[in-house]
Amino acid sequence: MQSFKAQVMRFDIITLFPEMFDAVTKYGITSRAIDKKLYEVHCWNPRDYTTDVHKTVDDRPYGGGPGMVMLIEPLEKAILSAKAGNAGKVIHLSPVGKPLTHELALSLSKETGLILLASRYEGVDQRLIDAQVDEEISIGDYVLSGGELPAMVLMDAIIRLLPGALGDSDSAIEDSFVDGLLDCPHYTRPETYQEQSVPEVLLSGNHAKIKQWRLKQSLFKTMTKRADLLANRLLTKEESRLLLELDTELALMQEQDSYNEKV
């Protein structure tokens, strides 16, 4: 019977600082995943594609203003070199991009390869983005010194979803955001620490009750920390019931707090 080898995901990164990506390839889950040959990384430094003695990769912006803008030619040559071995999308990590979500990471994890443009300075000449970039992604509404950290965040979010990357295949399934809710609280040994005990239901061995408790805790955490996630969620009957319970319990707690203040 013929066996088929799993496709190795390929990341090609356009970056002025390739050594920064050791943080992904040499540590933790992503290091083990590369050892298992689940993915590979190739870095392309735009300075290697310059023609002047100073290896210039940026210049002042037309129209004036602060900062510098990355030049088209070195970046385009680096991208074209990457494309010779990678037919995947070219993604520019940028504050103007679409927000990175679990759903987006899951979708990208099914690609055979990605080319990540980690830009610096004030940005990239727009003509390069128009000609070579397929998609722009942001990891949040703030500005960093460069695209390397966002690229690593994106890579980590994708790599841990690759089959075989995690020691327990259920870990990725039970993470926050996978089902649209925040993760429930977790506990481990010792059973009691500084007079704080593990919830009894987790020690009961009753898996149905444990599952229900975890769902209720996820709903509570989502409701109190990220209510926006519930706004457009199509609730199951069980989720609706548990949310009503939580509303009642919270109202009783507020009444009790108010009573205690008066007393």
Side-chain angles (χ1 to χ4, degrees), residues 84-125:
N86 189 339
K89 294 178 180 177
V90 177
I91 295 176
H92 179 214
L93 285 306
S94 168
V96 306
K98 68 170 69 171
L100 176 60
T101 62
H102 173 75
E103 289 75 16
L104 180 54
L106 183 61
S107 174
L108 293 174
S109 73
K110 296 171 183 175
E111 301 281 341
T112 58
L114 297 170
I115 299 172
L116 307 181
L117 172 57
S119 59
R120 286 254 154 186
Y121 312 120
E122 288 297 312
V124 175
D125 190 303

Side-chain angles (χ1 to χ4, degrees), residues 2-130:
Q2 186 178 1
S3 61
F4 295 92
K5 187 177 179 181
Q7 176 72 48
V8 177
M9 188 167 190
R10 173 170 172 148
F11 293 95
D12 284 85
I13 305 155
I14 316 301
T15 173
L16 295 174
F17 301 102
E19 60 277 8
M20 289 182 69
F21 289 86
D22 287 352
V24 172
T25 60
K26 294 186 177 180
Y27 301 96
I29 289 170
T30 50
S31 171
R32 294 193 292 273
I34 204 168
D35 289 342
K36 293 178 182 178
K37 300 189 180 344
L38 300 182
Y39 76 100
E40 58 186 42
V41 174
H42 303 269
C43 291
W44 308 86
N45 194 330
R47 293 196 190 279
D48 295 335
Y49 298 90
T50 57
T51 56
D52 67 309
V53 67
H54 300 294
K55 296 186 176 295
T56 304
V57 293
D58 63 318
D59 206 340
R60 292 184 297 275
Y62 280 120
M68 306 289 275
V69 177
M70 297 192 78
L71 297 169
I72 296 176
E73 190 171 11
L75 288 175
E76 186 161 54
K77 286 181 177 179
I79 290 172
L80 293 175
S81 293
K83 282 186 173 182
N86 189 339
K89 294 178 180 177
V90 177
I91 295 176
H92 179 214
L93 285 306
S94 168
V96 306
K98 68 170 69 171
L100 176 60
T101 62
H102 173 75
E103 289 75 16
L104 180 54
L106 183 61
S107 174
L108 293 174
S109 73
K110 296 171 183 175
E111 301 281 341
T112 58
L114 297 170
I115 299 172
L116 307 181
L117 172 57
S119 59
R120 286 254 154 186
Y121 312 120
E122 288 297 312
V124 175
D125 190 303
Q126 184 63 40
R127 291 169 294 182
L128 176 90
I129 296 172
D130 295 339

